[in-house]
Structures are given as C-alpha cells and as structure tokens.
C-alpha cells in the first residue's frame, strides 16, 4: 500500500509564509512607540492600551488614471525626408526601432524633448522658406503639436516610471528612526526632476541622460514616500491610543501613586526628539513632492490630485502629516493637564 506524499508547498506559498512571519516582529518605530505606551500605562497604574494596526496608505492611481493619453504622431518617410533640413529623420528612426519602442519613460521624454527642440528650432530658421506650402504647413503643424504634447510627455515620464511609482508602494513598512537621513539622500533626486520639468522649454538648459537615470536609481533604493507616510500614521495611532489612557485618568480623577513619582508634563525627550525629526524630515520630503507637482506645466490628473490631498498634503485635515501634528498637540495638552491636576 502506497502512502501518498504530502503536496510540496509552492514557491508562492513559501513567500507568503515568509512575509507573514516577517510581519510578526515589531519594527524599530513600533517598538519605540510601544515602549512609550507601556511606560505611560505603568506611570498611571492603568493597563496598557490595546494596540491596533494603522490602516495602510491608499493605492497609487493606476496607469489609466494617472497618465495622459498622447496619440502617436504618424508621418510618411517621404514627408519626414522633405523636412531633412530640420535633422529629425535620425530621431524618428531611433524612436521607431525596437529599442525605442521599449525605452524607459525617462528616455522617451528625452526623445520628445529632442524632437521638439529640433522642430521648434528649425521653424525659427530660414528652412521653412525653402519648403513648399504643404511641407511648410506640416512643419508648423508638427511644431505646434509637439509643443503642446511636451508637458504631457514630461508628466508621463515621471508618473510612468517604476522608480516613482515604487516610492508609493503599499508593500512597505514604517521608516525606522535610524533611517531618517535617507530623506537627505533622496531629496536631490526630487530637486533634479523638478529642474528638468522647469527647464524643458529652456534651450540654454542641457539635459543629461546619465544624471537623470542616476537620480531615478536613487529613488529606487527604497519606497521612501510610503515609509514616511507609514511612520507618520503609526505614530499618530499610538499617540491617540496613549491619549485615551490620559483621558481615562482625567475622567476618573486618577493620579499616579506617590511611589511612582511626579507625573511629567512632557513626553520623554528621546521620543520627542524622534517625533520632531520625523516631522521635519517628512515635511521636507512632502514639500519637495509638492514643488515637483507644482512645476508641471499641465494640470494634474484628477486621480493624482485626490491622492495628493488625501496622503501628501501638509494642510488637509486627516492626511498623515497634519494628523500626527494634531495628535501630538492633543496628547501634550492632556499630559500637561494631568500633571497640573496631580501636583
């Protein structure tokens, strides 16, 4: 009699299991906040609050919602050859070959930028006067078309790039306290992306493919936007739970036992220092993203604007950054009030 062998788990099942096991541990940010909650509960002689997991950040809009549709421009080879004085034939050939069709979004934008510069530059030379009426009208039409499309191509280059999309990955963890300096490491990438956007119509500005790709590679190092948002949301949730403890103590006229010592009006300095650093780093990062979006020379796609308001805003109530600031103010006010009552 044959005993059936148990099915071997698939690779996908093994990976899911590993992810689940990894999620059982507490990250550095969670550990620091949980330690504060336990210390607060002990000082108040109350049971620690039941910790609940913060919600995940929202899904980044999909391609159809975040990208602009840019119709293909089709011209016959004879028509392109007729504009040979504009030196666009080699660009068109590069775009139409196999490598051009699978080029990264950033490289497609550089192509569109180069094509616009050659067309618009050609239009402002003596070349149009050497063309027949039909070809001159074609050059004018193409120049106007590419001028109008370039801001959309610039937007798409950013919002189609894996490096940018991955920065908002929901498969992320809160940024560890010791990794806050990663913000300074990635900020130059956002600054350069903004520079490329601002100067795309500036003929004196020289784009550099290697520099652009280098900054995009920096963004690929970690999903910094998501990690910062997750850290903000985690801190807000744990402080809100701590505030519930303080409100319970205030409602019950409950003060720590004399043996516990005087209740301090302020949070421990180490926690305050980290929250200050998290606030400052995320403010710098969110401001840089806002400046990059404001530099776009096209109105944002509605789905991106909604995402920005809900998750990236520093002013919208309920967004992670202002929510943490409100939670800190409320928590500090409760601590101060309890310390005053329990003198």
């Amino acid at each position: 009699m044959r005993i059936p062998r148990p099915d071997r788990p698939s690779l996908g099942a093994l990976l899911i299991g590993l992810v689940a096991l990894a999620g059982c541990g507490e990250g550095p940010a969670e550990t620091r906040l949980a330690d504060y909650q336990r210390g607060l509960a002990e000082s108040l002689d109350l049971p620690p609050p039941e910790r609940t997991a913060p919600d995940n950040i929202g899904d980044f809009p999909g391609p159809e919602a975040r990208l602009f549709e840019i119709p293909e421009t089709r011209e016959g080879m004879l028509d392109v050859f007729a504009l040979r004085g504009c030196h666009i034939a080699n660009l068109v050939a590069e775009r139409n070959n196999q490598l051009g069709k699978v080029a990264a979004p950033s490289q497609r934008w550089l192509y569109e930028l180069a094509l616009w510069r050659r067309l618009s530059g050609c239009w402002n030379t003596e070349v149009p006067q050497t063309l027949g009426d039909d070809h001159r009208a074609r050059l004018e039409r193409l120049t106007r078309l590419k001028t109008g499309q370039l801001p959309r191509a610039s937007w798409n280059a950013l919002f189609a790039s894996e490096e940018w999309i991955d920065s908002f990955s929901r498969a992320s963890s809160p940024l560890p306290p010791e990794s806050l300096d990663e913000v300074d490491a990635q900020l130059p990438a956002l600054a350069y992306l903004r520079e490329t956007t601002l100067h795309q119509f500036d003929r004196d500005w020289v784009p550099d493919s290697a520099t652009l790709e280098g900054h995009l590679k920096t963004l690929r190092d970690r999903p910094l936007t998501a990690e910062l948002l997750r850290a903000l949301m985690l801190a807000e949730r744990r402080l809100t739970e701590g505030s519930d403890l303080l409100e319970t103590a205030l409602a019950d006229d409950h003060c720590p036992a004399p043996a516990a010592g005087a209740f301090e009006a302020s949070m421990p300095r180490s926690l305050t220092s980290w929250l200050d650093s998290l606030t400052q780093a995320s403010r710098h990062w969110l401001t840089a993203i806002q400046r990059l979006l404001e530099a776009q020379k096209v109105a944002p796609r509605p789905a991106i604007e909604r995402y920005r308001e809900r998750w990236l805003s520093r002013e919208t109530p309920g967004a992670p950054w202002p929510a943490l600031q409100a939670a800190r103010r409320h928590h500090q006010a409760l601590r101060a009030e309890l310390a005053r009552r329990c003198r």
Side-chain angles (χ1 to χ4, degrees):
M1 174 176 162
R2 253 182 107 183
I3 300 175
R5 296 170 60 189
D7 293 337
R8 294 178 64 184
S10 67
L11 177 60
L14 286 172
L15 290 175
I16 291 173
L18 289 173
V19 170
L21 287 173
C24 293
E26 291 187 349
E30 177 71 277
T31 299
R32 186 170 298 196
L33 290 161
D35 287 345
Y36 169 68
Q37 280 190 347
R38 282 191 290 269
L40 179 63
E42 289 174 3
S43 68
L44 296 175
D45 195 22
L46 291 172
E50 180 181 351
R51 286 182 285 155
T52 58
D55 295 333
N56 202 344
I57 60 175
D59 280 319
F60 202 58
E64 292 184 359
R66 71 174 183 268
L67 301 179
F68 287 99
E69 182 179 356
I70 303 178
E72 285 284 339
T73 303
R74 299 186 178 276
E75 299 291 337
M77 289 305 300
L78 290 178
D79 295 327
V80 172
F81 180 75
L83 302 179
R84 58 190 178 277
C86 298
H87 307 290
I88 64 171
N90 62 329
L91 282 175
V92 174
E94 290 174 9
R95 177 65 177 87
N96 290 336
N97 68 25
Q98 197 62 31
L99 289 177
K101 292 178 181 178
V102 297
S106 56
Q107 296 302 308
R108 292 200 295 270
W109 172 73
L110 287 174
Y111 162 81
E112 292 291 338
L113 177 62
L115 182 58
W116 170 79
R117 286 188 171 188
R118 290 195 189 179
L119 286 170
S120 59
C122 185
W123 179 254
N124 292 297
T125 66
E126 70 282 355
V127 170
Q129 305 308 315
T130 68
L131 300 173
D133 291 344
D134 288 347
H135 294 311
R136 185 166 56 250
R138 179 172 292 104
L139 174 58
E140 181 180 12
R141 175 175 58 80
L142 287 173
T143 302
R144 291 182 182 276
L145 177 65
K146 290 302 176 182
T147 301
Q149 286 182 348
L150 188 58
R152 292 188 171 200
S154 174
W155 172 280
N156 284 359
L158 177 64
F159 282 93
S161 68
E162 292 182 1
E163 296 86 354
W164 184 246
I165 298 167
D166 288 349
S167 185
F168 303 88
S169 172
R170 302 180 82 225
S172 56
S173 302
L175 185 69
E178 66 273 13
S179 298
L180 284 172
D181 56 355
E182 290 291 327
V183 172
D184 290 333
Q186 290 200 15
L187 276 174
L190 296 190
Y192 186 78
L193 291 174
R194 180 174 181 269
E195 182 182 358
T196 64
T197 304
L198 289 173
H199 292 286
Q200 58 188 314
F201 287 110
D202 180 2
R203 293 185 174 279
D204 293 330
W205 178 74
V206 180
D208 182 74
S209 176
T211 303
L212 175 59
E213 295 304 322
H215 283 301
L216 288 173
K217 182 178 181 298
T218 299
L219 291 179
R220 194 186 299 127
D221 289 343
R222 66 187 310 153
L224 190 55
T225 306
E227 289 182 320
L228 281 169
L229 294 178
R230 297 289 294 271
L232 291 168
M233 295 168 68
L234 177 64
E236 185 271 333
R237 177 63 61 89
R238 297 294 172 257
L239 286 182
T240 298
E241 291 166 350
S243 292
D244 292 341
L245 278 180
L246 294 169
E247 288 175 344
T248 297
L250 286 167
D252 296 341
D253 289 327
H254 178 81
C255 287
F263 184 77
E264 297 291 336
S266 299
M267 289 184 288
R269 183 172 298 179
S270 60
L271 181 63
T272 299
S273 178
W274 169 55
L275 291 174
D276 287 344
S277 297
L278 174 62
T279 294
Q280 181 178 8
S282 54
R283 180 176 65 242
H284 289 165
W285 185 254
L286 295 175
T287 299
I289 291 179
Q290 180 68 15
R291 295 185 71 201
L292 174 57
L293 295 180
E294 289 175 347
Q296 303 298 318
K297 300 182 183 299
V298 64
R301 294 282 284 156
I304 294 296
E305 184 61 18
R306 290 193 294 271
Y307 188 95
R308 186 196 68 80
E309 282 290 324
R310 172 64 185 87
W311 299 105
L312 308 177
S313 174
R314 288 177 44 216
E315 292 82 26
T316 303
W321 196 89
L324 174 58
Q325 310 320 309
R328 287 189 70 182
R329 289 191 296 269
H330 181 59
H331 190 80
Q332 181 56 46
L334 291 173
R335 280 196 70 116
E337 176 62 17
L338 187 61
R340 186 187 64 81
R341 287 196 192 180
C342 296
R343 285 174 186 164

